C-alpha cells in the first residue's frame, strides 16, 4: 500500500526529458534547428538562386526565358538581391524554412537516436560502428525529409518570388498559408509532395554526411584523443560533418531544387522534367557534369556554419536540460 502511494509521487518528480525522452529530443532539436536556420538562411537563398539560373530545360521550354544569366558567383548574387530587392529579401521564405526544420530536424534526430540506441545497437565498448551509423543516418534523413517535404516545397518556391517580381512576372503567393492552399488546390495532396523523391534522396545523402560524420568523428575523438566532451570537440565534428554533407548532398540538392521549382500542369505533373533521373540527365547533357555542383560554395558555406550553430546549440540545450550528450 505504501509503495502504491509513493509511486505516483516518484513519477511526478521525473523531469520532462526523463518522462518523455523522445518528445524532449524532438523539441530540443527543433529549437536548435530554428536558431541555425535563421542565422544561415541568406546563404540558402543565394544557393537556390544560383541553382535555378541557366537551366537548359528552361531555355528550351520558352524563348522568353532566353536572357543573360543575372548572377555570377555567390557574393554577387547576394549583393544583387540586396541592391535590387532589399536586405530583408535575403530572408524571403524563412518562415516555411523554419517550419520545415522543426519537422525535419525533430524527426531525424529522434529517429537516429532510436535506431542507434534501441534498434541497431552500440558495440560493447559503447562505440557505434560506421556501417550502422551510415544506415541510421540515411534512414533518419529520409524519414524526416518525407514528413517535411511540403514545407520544403513552399520554401523553395517562395525563395524565387523576388526573382519573378524583377522579371515582371506576377507573384504566385502572398504568404506561407496562401502558398500551401494554392499548391493544394492546383495539384492536390500529390502536389504538396512534388519532388519528394529527390528530396528524400538528398536528405539521405546529407544526413549520411551530417549525422554519420558528426557522431563518428565526435566519438572517435573522445575515444582516441585527450579531447573532452565539450565545445571544442563539438566544433571539430560539426565542421567535418558540414563539409562531407555538402559534397554528398549538392548534386541531389540541385536536382531537387529544379524539380520543385518547375511549372506544373493541373494534375501536378512537371512540365520540364519527368523524374529526378530525367532532370539529372538533362542537366549533365545540357550543362555538363559540374552543373550538378552549381551553388556548391554557398551550400558548403551554409552547411558549415549551420552544422556548427546547430550542434553547439543542440549539445548546450541538452546539457542545460539535463539530457545526456548526443
Amino acid at each position: 500500500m505504501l509503495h502504491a502511494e509513493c509511486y505516483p509521487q516518484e513519477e511526478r518528480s521525473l523531469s520532462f526529458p526523463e518522462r518523455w525522452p523522445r518528445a524532449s529530443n524532438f523539441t530540443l532539436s527543433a529549437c536548435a534547428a530554428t536558431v541555425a536556420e535563421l542565422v544561415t538562411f541568406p546563404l540558402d537563398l543565394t544557393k537556390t538562386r544560383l541553382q535555378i539560373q541557366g537551366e537548359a530545360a528552361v531555355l528550351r521550354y520558352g524563348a522568353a526565358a532566353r536572357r543573360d544569366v543575372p548572377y555570377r558567383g555567390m557574393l554577387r548574387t547576394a549583393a544583387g538581391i540586396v541592391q535590387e530587392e532589399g536586405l530583408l529579401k535575403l530572408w524571403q521564405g524563412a518562415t516555411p524554412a523554419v517550419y520545415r526544420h522543426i519537422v525535419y530536424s525533430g524527426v531525424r534526430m529522434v529517429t537516429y537516436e532510436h535506431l542507434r540506441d534501441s534498434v541497431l545497437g552500440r558495440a560493447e565498448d559503447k562505440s557505434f560502428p560506421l556501417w550502422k551509423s551510415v544506415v541510421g543516418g540515411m534512414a533518419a534523413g529520409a524519414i524526416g525529409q518525407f514528413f517535411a517535404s511540403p514545407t520544403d516545397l513552399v520554401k523553395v518556391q517562395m525563395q524565387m518570388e523576388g526573382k519573378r517580381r524583377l522579371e515582371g512576372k506576377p507573384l504566385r503567393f502572398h504568404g506561407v498559408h496562401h502558398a500551401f492552399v494554392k499548391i493544394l488546390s492546383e495539384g492536390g495532396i500529390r502536389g504538396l509532395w512534388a519532388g519528394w523523391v529527390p528530396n528524400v534522396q538528398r536528405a539521405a545523402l546529407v544526413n549520411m554526411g551530417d549525422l554519420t560524420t558528426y557522431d563518428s568523428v565526435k566519438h572517435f575523438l573522445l575515444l582516441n584523443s585527450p579531447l573532452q566532451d565539450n565545445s571544442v570537440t563539438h566544433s571539430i565534428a560539426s565542421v567535418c560533418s558540414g563539409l562531407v554533407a555538402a559534397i554528398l548532398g549538392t548534386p541531389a540538392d540541385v536536382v531537387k531544387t529544379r524539380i520543385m521549382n518547375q511549372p506544373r500542369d493541373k494534375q501536378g505533373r512537371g512540365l520540364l522534367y519527368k523524374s529526378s533521373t530525367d532532370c539529372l540527365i538533362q542537366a549533365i547533357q545540357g550543362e555538363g557534369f559540374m552543373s550538378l555542383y552549381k551553388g556548391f560554395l554557398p551550400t558548403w558555406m551554409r552547411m558549415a556554419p549551420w552544422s556548427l550553430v546547430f550542434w553547439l546549440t543542440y549539445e548546450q540545450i541538452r546539457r542545460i536540460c539535463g539530457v545526456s550528450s548526443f
Side-chain angles (χ1 to χ4, degrees), residues 154 173 175-188 192:
V154 171
F173 314 115
V176 177
H177 179 262
H178 179 248
F180 275 110
V181 172
K182 186 173 182 180
I183 293 172
L184 184 62
S185 63
E186 293 179 350
L192 285 174

Side-chain angles (χ1 to χ4, degrees), residues 118-135:
S118 302
V119 178
L120 298 173
R122 296 177 182 270
E124 294 182 0
D125 61 354
K126 298 300 181 181
S127 64
F128 194 46
L130 181 60
W131 73 268
K132 290 185 178 181
S133 186
V134 169
V135 172

Side-chain angles (χ1 to χ4, degrees), residues 18 38 47 82 104 119-120 125 155 170 222 226 231 247 256 262 290 295 299 301 315 321:
E18 293 173 323
L38 291 175
K47 174 207 70 176
V82 172
Y104 170 66
V119 178
L120 298 173
D125 61 354
K155 181 199 77 171
L222 293 177
S231 297
I247 293 172
K256 178 213 73 170
Q262 69 177 324
M290 291 310 296
T299 296
M301 290 189 68
E315 294 278 18
C321 294

Side-chain angles (χ1 to χ4, degrees), residues 20-307:
W20 305 101
R22 290 191 178 87
S24 65
N25 287 345
F26 181 96
T27 304
L28 297 180
S29 61
C31 291
T34 299
V35 173
E37 189 66 20
L38 291 175
V39 170
T40 62
F41 187 79
L43 289 170
D44 186 52
L45 176 64
T46 303
K47 174 207 70 176
T48 300
R49 294 285 181 92
L50 284 170
Q51 289 175 339
I52 290 297
Q53 70 179 7
E55 282 185 78
V58 171
L59 297 177
R60 289 195 299 270
Y61 185 71
R66 297 179 184 276
R67 56 186 180 80
D68 294 334
V69 175
Y71 304 127
R72 296 288 183 185
M74 184 191 69
L75 294 178
R76 291 186 182 180
T77 300
I81 293 171
V82 172
Q83 291 173 357
E84 298 169 2
E85 304 172 42
L87 179 64
L88 293 181
K89 291 302 180 181
L90 287 174
W91 279 269
Q92 175 116 20
T95 301
V98 170
Y99 291 163
R100 181 244 179 186
H101 264 290
I102 288 174
V103 178
Y104 170 66
S105 291
V107 172
R108 74 174 182 131
M109 298 303 291
V110 170
T111 302
Y112 183 80
E113 288 198 75
H114 177 68
L115 291 173
R116 183 185 66 181
D117 300 336
S118 302
V119 178
L120 298 173
R122 296 177 182 270
E124 294 182 0
D125 61 354
K126 298 300 181 181
S127 64
F128 194 46
L130 181 60
W131 73 268
K132 290 185 178 181
S133 186
V134 169
V135 172
M138 294 186 71
I143 294 170
Q145 184 55 55
F146 178 79
F147 283 104
S149 195
T151 56
D152 205 20
L153 173 66
V154 171
K155 181 199 77 171
V156 169
Q157 296 206 5
M158 287 194 68
Q159 284 178 329
M160 300 308 297
E161 289 300 275
K163 184 179 177 183
R164 288 177 64 87
R165 183 185 292 109
L166 291 177
E167 293 173 353
K169 298 178 181 178
L171 297 182
R172 296 173 294 184
F173 314 115
H174 303 297
V176 177
H177 179 262
H178 179 248
F180 275 110
V181 172
K182 186 173 182 180
I183 293 172
L184 184 62
S185 63
E186 293 179 350
I189 295 294
R190 178 181 175 180
L192 285 174
W193 266 267
W196 74 269
V197 174
N199 231 357
V200 167
Q201 291 169 343
R202 172 190 175 273
L205 291 172
V206 168
N207 272 270
M208 183 173 69
D210 184 31
L211 277 172
T212 300
T213 303
Y214 180 84
D215 197 22
S216 299
V217 171
K218 175 187 170 181
H219 288 95
F220 175 83
L221 293 174
L222 293 177
L223 292 172
N224 299 280
S225 77
L227 292 175
Q228 302 298 312
D229 192 358
N230 54 30
S231 297
V232 175
T233 303
H234 302 160
S235 298
I236 295 173
S238 66
V239 169
C240 293
S241 70
L243 177 60
V244 176
I247 293 172
L248 294 177
T250 298
D253 192 37
V254 171
V255 172
K256 178 213 73 170
T257 300
R258 292 184 173 192
I259 284 182
M260 296 179 80
N261 191 62
Q262 69 177 324
R264 298 184 176 277
D265 60 20
K266 293 182 179 180
Q267 284 71 45
R269 292 185 297 240
L271 299 177
L272 300 181
Y273 310 112
K274 298 177 183 177
S275 63
S276 57
T277 303
D278 180 46
C279 180
L280 179 70
I281 293 173
Q282 287 196 47
I284 294 175
Q285 290 181 343
E287 305 162 62
F289 177 78
M290 291 310 296
S291 67
L292 297 178
Y293 280 89
K294 278 187 176 181
F296 171 78
L297 183 58
T299 296
W300 175 65
M301 290 189 68
R302 178 180 184 269
M303 282 187 172
W306 195 98
S307 293

